[in-house]
Amino acid sequence: MLPIITKTKRRARAANLSQFFLMGLLFSTLVSRFPALKELYGLSIAELGFIPFAMSAGSLIATPICVFLSAKYGSRKVGMFCYLQTLSLCLFVLMPEKYMLFGVAVLYGALMELSDIAMNANSIIVEQAYKRPILGMFHSFFYFGMALGAVISIVTMQIGLSVTVHYVVMSVVAFIWFAINHVYYLKETPAKSAANQKFKILLPRGVLLLIAFVAFCGRIVEGSISDWSTVYMKNVISLEENFSPIGLMVYSLFIASGRLFSDTIRRRFTENQILLGCGIITSAGIAVMICGVNAFAAIAGLFISGIGLSCFVPVIYSLAGNRKDVNPGLGIAMVNTISGTGFLFGPSVIGFIAEHYSLRVSFAYVLLISLIMTALIIILKKHNEQAILV
């Protein structure tokens, strides 16, 4: 019979894996039906681009709140906001006017940020309990969930299921799913200094600030690909709407597969080396996607980008969450204070550029950001190497 501590941490790992999968499934469900939302509310492509912008704004608003709540109450209690997030998904298809849709997007983005930081912070606590790198496995399940969400969306469109029914059903299923998962979250003891802490905005400093800007660029790239790949496949590659989520599915599968091996990679290479490889490979994938003239080339670009980004987030969150001067939730939330704005300058800018030029041109902007990210990683790498020498 397993000791109670072993059973507890194994259940916590299973719950966190399941939670990452659920969050990926929810996100993919939302973005893979963006073309249907566009038709439902009669949105222009610029107005459609404002939905991820509003979600990012909500995420940004919630980040300092999450910093405060994470420091004072810990990730398990902050995770309770996921109940509201699951229910708010169905609001996207229940608004009487299209302009109310953007208010829903702000709310959903805020709740998603609170859920995301709590989930990642708890996964770091589980990783610390196992005393070996396992964070990449958690993040791989997020993208496996995204891949399944894309497949489900393809099936629902094939059988003629409306986006309204699709969102409402997924909202109910996700609520029950989270209720089961949350029971097994590990508890952490917040620092005593945070017990009577008053609300204030905490910003990262020093190396943590540089990590935040690397993460900022990564969020722009990852958010742009996730939010716009389905529309790109439909409008640029001219796939039928029923099959347009296939690009998102391929991207998700390969980023998930890469993250399955990211923990092994983290044991064999330094975090600086891994991040640099992420930047170079991701840039190459986006370039292939832009230059491609058919579905095969676009999918190949998404595949390469997925491999490139596969180790990025686990390494960033590990750097932010394993600092000795802050608890995991606080470290991640402080980095997200800066990096969270990446979604403001990613998917929304894509829509603006596409409205005036084309989606293919707008992805050149994503390539530029990817190159800037690579340059910042080189600076971070040199800084860390100098710190070791000192």
Side-chain angles (χ1 to χ4, degrees):
M1 187 173 182
L2 290 172
I4 188 66
I5 295 177
T6 303
K7 291 175 71 174
T8 299
K9 73 178 184 180
R10 285 189 177 182
R11 288 172 177 171
R13 183 176 74 165
N16 273 270
L17 287 171
S18 178
Q19 184 62 22
F20 271 87
F21 189 89
L22 171 63
M23 296 297 284
L25 180 64
L26 277 177
F27 184 76
S28 181
T29 298
L30 176 61
V31 301
S32 62
R33 297 305 299 267
F34 268 5
L37 276 181
K38 182 175 180 294
E39 297 298 325
L40 181 66
Y41 288 99
L43 303 173
S44 67
I45 194 165
E47 288 174 329
L48 181 63
F50 198 75
I51 293 178
F53 177 87
M55 289 171 59
S56 302
S59 174
L60 186 61
I61 292 169
T63 298
I65 299 174
C66 194
V67 171
F68 170 74
L69 294 177
S70 295
K72 190 165 186 176
Y73 299 108
S75 60
R76 194 174 191 274
K77 291 183 178 180
V78 175
M80 297 289 286
F81 282 98
C82 192
Y83 282 114
L84 298 178
Q85 183 199 345
T86 58
L87 293 177
S88 64
L89 174 65
C90 63
L91 296 179
F92 278 97
V93 291
L94 300 178
M95 295 297 101
E97 298 289 340
K98 68 178 182 180
Y99 298 108
M100 298 176 68
L101 186 65
F102 305 123
V104 172
V106 171
L107 172 65
Y108 189 84
L111 294 171
M112 186 170 65
E113 179 71 7
L114 290 162
S115 302
D116 179 70
I117 290 178
M119 177 179 68
N120 277 284
N122 208 261
S123 68
I124 289 177
I125 296 168
V126 175
E127 183 180 65
Q128 291 171 347
Y130 272 84
K131 299 179 180 179
R132 58 185 172 88
I134 59 173
L135 192 59
M137 180 173 55
F138 292 121
H139 285 270
S140 73
F141 269 65
F142 177 88
Y143 280 93
F144 280 129
M146 279 187 62
L148 178 61
V151 171
I152 292 175
S153 294
I154 291 172
V155 172
T156 56
M157 286 186 283
Q158 287 292 328
I159 64 176
L161 195 68
S162 71
V163 65
T164 301
V165 174
H166 186 185
Y167 277 15
V168 170
V169 170
M170 282 305 305
S171 184
V172 173
V173 170
F175 182 88
I176 298 172
W177 191 328
F178 176 71
I180 297 171
N181 283 341
H182 194 248
V183 174
Y184 299 104
Y185 267 39
L186 288 183
K187 297 179 180 179
E188 79 267 37
T189 303
K192 292 182 179 179
S193 59
N196 299 314
Q197 179 179 310
K198 296 181 179 180
F199 176 77
K200 61 180 179 179
I201 297 177
L202 298 175
L203 296 174
R205 298 178 180 178
V207 178
L208 199 61
L209 180 61
L210 182 55
I211 293 170
F213 277 112
V214 173
F216 166 80
C217 293
R219 285 238 185 176
I220 292 178
V221 175
E222 192 169 347
S224 298
I225 296 175
S226 297
D227 289 355
W228 285 100
S229 60
T230 299
V231 182
Y232 187 93
M233 297 299 288
K234 180 178 183 292
N235 290 11
V236 178
I237 307 301
S238 300
L239 281 182
E240 293 182 12
E241 182 177 331
N242 290 3
F243 295 100
S244 56
I246 193 171
L248 179 63
M249 180 190 72
V250 170
Y251 168 75
S252 302
L253 277 175
F254 281 103
I255 199 171
S257 300
R259 285 190 181 172
L260 275 179
F261 298 100
S262 66
D263 294 322
T264 301
I265 295 172
R266 285 172 63 197
R267 289 193 290 267
R268 295 184 179 181
F269 299 94
T270 67
E271 291 169 331
N272 297 320
Q273 292 171 332
I274 295 171
L275 285 178
L276 183 58
C278 288
I280 294 172
I281 296 172
T282 301
S283 299
I286 297 170
V288 170
M289 183 179 176
I290 294 172
C291 296
V293 295
N294 53 39
F296 177 80
I299 291 173
L302 288 168
F303 154 69
I304 297 170
S305 299
I307 293 298
L309 287 167
S310 60
C311 296
F312 182 82
V313 173
V315 172
I316 288 293
Y317 277 179
S318 178
L319 287 171
N322 282 302
R323 293 182 60 82
K324 296 180 180 180
D325 52 339
V326 294
N327 68 30
L330 182 58
I332 293 174
M334 288 175 69
V335 167
N336 277 6
T337 302
I338 301 294
S339 67
T341 61
F343 285 133
L344 291 174
F345 299 100
S348 54
V349 175
I350 291 286
F352 177 81
I353 297 175
E355 182 79 7
H356 292 82
Y357 299 98
S358 70
L359 266 177
R360 192 186 296 276
V361 173
S362 64
F363 266 81
Y365 161 76
V366 181
L367 176 60
L368 174 62
I369 297 299
S370 182
L371 294 172
I372 293 173
M373 177 183 75
T374 305
L376 289 174
I377 290 170
I378 292 173
I379 296 172
L380 178 63
K381 182 174 181 292
K382 290 182 178 180
H383 182 279
N384 289 339
E385 288 172 351
Q386 289 174 354
I388 292 174
L389 291 176
V390 173

